[in-house]
Amino acid sequence: MASQETPNYRLSRWAGTDRILVEEFNDNWDKIDTALKVPGIEAIYTYKDVPNIRFTMAGQTYPEPSPYDRLILDQRVRFVGDAVAIVAGENEKAVEKALRLIKVKYQELEPVLDFHTAKDNPILVHPEDNWESLSPVGADNKRNLCAHDACGDGDIDAVLAKCDVVIDRVYHTKACQQAMMETFRTCCWMDLYGRLNILSSTQIVFHTRRNVANALHIPKSMIRVAKPRIGGGFGAKQTSVCEVYPAFVTWKTKKPSKIIYTRFESQTASTPRHEMEMHVRLGATKDCIIKGIDLHTLSNTGAYGEHGPTTVGLSGHKSIPLYGKAEAFRFVSDVVYTNHMSAGAYRGYGATQGLFAVESAVNELAARLHMDPFKIREMNIVKEGDVMPAYYGAVNTSCALDRCLKKVHEMIDWDNKYPVRDLGNGKVRAVGMGMAMQGSGISGMDVGSATLKVNDDGFYSLIIGAADMGTGCDTTLAQIAAEVLDCDLDNITVFGADTDTSPYDSGSYASSTTYVTGKAVEKCALRLRGQICKLGAELLQTTEDAVD
């Protein structure tokens, strides 16, 4: 056993193969005992040592739409990169030696690898009875369904039947992995009050606290999560990819621990973009008015359901509403489990896949009608003030899409470049276009908060719960506060996300930080400015409107 003074432990993961497997340590305890005798090894944990209570790693507001389908370690491993054992030791050399001594027996099961056949497949990725979905997203583990939804407005089949032209296409986008400069990493320790402290490269300190509490089956009040300056996120760190493993070791041993993913582990044991297949039917009149859009999205969530129910929604809700003259739409989505790497949040969050499909179909429609792609969109786009049935019936209160199209058309010099220019020597240069819509934050759900404190020498402390992941939000938010308080930027000291000291913030995702948390900073700074002016007016024996 290591001494109590040992400052750190490294953790490693043992990956399965490319099939669904069942781990059997029963005949191999002698091998684990041998590995435990390696000098510097502190502990080895298997599925027998962890709580049999499922949780999600998704960084989402509670109750999470993502199903509770994970264990810290599971007897059933579902994809390459799935955790099988935790080996904790004083240094990497000891851990690597212990890993070589552990031999794992597997019972190989038939996997579900084709996401086209996953739904209602007799082979279940999650057959367990303690699988749970907290939100009504149409999930059913007995059908390999992480989520299902159907919505629409008008009679889409009747509208398409009357259209002069119908484009019927299937578009496929593959999973792609994100590669932020800093890999996943977490360190943990117990403080003087017996609380678990977690320092992690994460976008979501408050959600991580809940996820770890659920995984370890301990109260959230016993956990503190803080983030340092982190080197990129893109959405991958909107999932608690690695925090539960060192947290479990520290909670069990009461000793510090850390885990640092290699680049290889970050590529194979985290969360890429969802693979999706979109079947689009697009109907228009011969005078180029789009009358109906029918979209079915099939999404491959992989072995676990993090962000599966929510990413798929944006594939339709951020593509179909772009076309404001449509008389009818239908959007059906299925998110299925397979034995592939688990997907998650990634820039665009599902909208990118749907936009690629719908915009490609519109371009094909333009070609069929011999219409300029810019022109057909100018004739059909949603305008400010329009009701958007495909975007939850919301009114479009802010939109400059018409002016955007005009400006981009001019900047491209479209008329002189479309569709193609022959450069000679067998070379051509072509141009194309597509549209997208994006919001800042999740309306009615995301929370941004800020605390401002005046310090003894007249400078300010800005305390936020948002995570700067290389986006510069610490600077941006400080600039907002400095502008309102009419002071130099150097007079604002920013304290980053810490669940013990920061006001609650949903986290840094959905392009929300400057808009949502920034507005909280502005409102907070205005209140503080008002208090300063009120006190100044009293000291100067004048009215508040007479002081700056």
Side-chain angles (χ1 to χ4, degrees):
M1 299 290 286
S3 68
Q4 291 293 337
E5 290 75 30
T6 302
N8 285 298
Y9 295 93
R10 289 185 179 274
L11 286 76
S12 287
R13 300 160 66 90
W14 189 293
T17 72
D18 61 350
R19 298 195 176 189
I20 186 168
L21 307 166
V22 172
E23 171 192 3
E24 292 290 353
F25 280 110
N26 296 1
D27 300 328
N28 289 274
W29 289 115
D30 56 329
K31 300 290 178 62
I32 291 179
D33 289 341
T34 301
L36 274 169
K37 294 175 183 176
V38 172
I41 292 299
E42 172 71 20
I44 298 175
Y45 301 108
T46 72
Y47 69 90
K48 295 177 180 289
D49 304 303
V50 302
N52 188 33
I53 298 171
R54 297 200 176 263
F55 63 96
T56 180
M57 292 181 176
Q60 296 178 295
T61 300
Y62 182 87
E64 305 94 336
S66 300
Y68 282 22
D69 54 12
R70 283 189 183 266
L71 299 177
I72 300 173
L73 298 169
D74 202 336
Q75 184 177 8
R76 191 185 190 98
V77 289
R78 295 172 172 83
F79 77 104
V80 173
D82 214 347
V84 172
I86 301 173
V87 179
E90 293 179 18
N91 54 66
E92 200 165 356
K93 185 177 179 180
V95 169
E96 292 296 337
K97 184 175 181 180
L99 284 174
R100 288 193 294 271
L101 292 173
I102 300 173
K103 306 298 179 184
V104 183
K105 286 186 177 180
Y106 297 96
Q107 176 191 346
E108 188 171 328
L109 304 178
E110 187 176 353
V112 179
L113 299 178
D114 184 353
F115 77 129
H116 298 94
T117 62
K119 182 180 176 180
D120 293 323
N121 195 303
I123 301 165
L124 298 180
V125 178
H126 284 277
E128 63 271 8
D129 292 331
N130 61 348
W131 176 97
E132 185 180 11
S133 178
L134 276 66
S135 298
V137 294
D140 187 346
N141 63 317
K142 303 304 182 183
R143 301 181 62 196
N144 282 335
L145 270 179
C146 174
H148 167 80
D149 190 35
C151 62
D153 183 67
D155 189 336
I156 184 65
D157 292 317
V159 168
L160 291 177
K162 294 178 181 178
C163 287
D164 298 314
V165 180
V166 175
I167 300 295
D168 191 331
R169 297 286 187 272
V170 175
Y171 302 94
H172 182 204
T173 61
K174 293 188 177 182
C176 58
Q177 184 58 291
Q178 43 206 317
M180 55 279 168
M181 291 174 66
E182 180 194 34
T183 61
F184 299 92
R185 55 197 60 204
T186 299
C187 64
C188 303
W189 67 95
M190 302 298 293
D191 65 20
L192 296 175
Y193 303 99
R195 298 175 71 231
L196 175 63
N197 281 246
I198 300 172
L199 182 70
S200 183
S201 179
T202 180
Q203 300 172 223
I204 42 148
V205 291
F206 288 98
H207 297 322
T208 294
R209 180 179 64 179
R210 181 179 67 251
N211 294 345
V212 173
N214 288 341
L216 272 57
H217 200 48
I218 62 176
K220 286 192 295 183
S221 59
M222 296 301 294
I223 301 173
R224 174 192 180 190
V225 181
K227 72 144 201 78
R229 291 292 179 93
I230 65 177
F234 306 125
K237 293 174 184 175
Q238 195 189 336
T239 301
S240 306
V241 169
C242 67
E243 288 85 351
V244 295
Y245 305 108
F248 179 75
V249 169
T250 293
W251 187 252
K252 294 285 283 188
T253 65
K254 308 306 178 188
K255 298 179 181 180
S257 67
K258 67 179 177 181
I259 187 167
I260 300 175
Y261 277 29
T262 64
R263 179 61 62 188
F264 180 82
E265 289 167 333
S266 288
Q267 296 287 291
T268 57
S270 61
T271 50
R273 192 187 298 282
H274 288 77
E275 176 187 24
M276 291 188 189
E277 184 173 274
M278 284 110 342
H279 183 187
V280 183
R281 290 197 302 156
L282 189 72
T285 61
K286 58 186 177 183
D287 55 353
C288 304
I289 300 301
I290 296 172
K291 292 292 187 179
I293 303 175
D294 188 10
L295 174 64
H296 176 258
T297 301
L298 178 64
S299 177
N300 183 2
T301 195
Y304 301 98
E306 276 86 16
H307 301 281
T310 39
T311 50
V312 75
L314 298 193
S315 72
H317 295 308
K318 285 197 174 178
S319 57
I320 300 172
L322 287 167
Y323 297 93
K325 293 190 177 180
E327 297 175 357
F329 85 93
R330 177 168 55 204
F331 174 40
V332 179
S333 59
D334 289 298
V335 185
V336 293
Y337 284 114
T338 64
N339 292 113
H340 289 286
M341 184 177 176
S342 178
Y346 189 4
R347 291 292 297 162
Y349 204 76
T352 49
Q353 295 95 311
L355 287 162
F356 160 70
V358 172
E359 290 301 285
S360 295
V362 173
N363 282 334
E364 293 195 48
L365 175 66
R368 177 84 69 86
L369 294 171
H370 306 289
M371 174 63 70
D372 183 287
F374 266 96
K375 185 65 176 177
I376 197 170
R377 286 175 171 86
E378 288 171 353
M379 296 169 63
N380 287 279
I381 57 171
V382 65
K383 301 284 182 67
E384 191 167 308
D386 289 352
V387 176
M388 300 182 290
Y391 195 73
Y392 316 104
V395 177
N396 187 351
T397 57
S398 176
C399 181
L401 184 55
D402 51 350
R403 284 162 281 165
C404 177
L405 285 173
K406 184 178 180 180
K407 184 64 175 178
V408 172
H409 186 280
E410 174 189 320
M411 293 174 68
I412 293 175
D413 190 19
W414 180 266
D415 291 334
N416 293 319
K417 294 179 179 178
Y418 176 77
V420 67
R421 288 181 295 156
D422 190 341
L423 302 180
N425 298 321
K427 296 180 180 179
V428 297
R429 183 167 294 163
V431 291
M433 63 88 65
M435 303 187 305
M437 61 181 286
Q438 172 66 352
S440 295
I442 305 171
S443 177
M445 183 173 293
D446 279 350
V447 174
S449 305
T451 299
L452 271 164
K453 182 175 69 171
V454 184
N455 297 304
D456 55 342
D457 199 30
F459 67 97
Y460 305 92
S461 294
L462 172 60
I463 307 164
I464 56 173
D468 191 332
M469 50 182 157
T471 50
C473 78
D474 285 0
T475 302
T476 304
L477 299 175
Q479 287 173 324
I480 294 171
E483 182 174 332
V484 174
L485 294 168
D486 195 18
C487 69
D488 292 335
L489 183 61
D490 291 342
N491 283 2
I492 309 290
T493 301
V494 180
F495 291 87
D498 183 329
T499 56
D500 269 13
T501 59
S502 299
Y504 180 82
D505 194 292
S506 303
S508 295
Y509 54 81
S511 306
S512 65
T513 306
T514 301
Y515 185 72
V516 178
T517 306
K519 195 64 180 177
V521 170
E522 182 195 16
K523 292 171 72 174
C524 183
L526 285 170
R527 287 182 60 184
L528 179 57
R529 181 186 178 109
Q531 291 178 21
I532 293 171
C533 289
K534 181 179 179 181
L535 178 59
E538 291 175 3
L539 294 172
L540 296 170
Q541 296 182 341
T542 185
T543 59
E544 288 182 43
D545 58 1
V547 301
D548 289 330

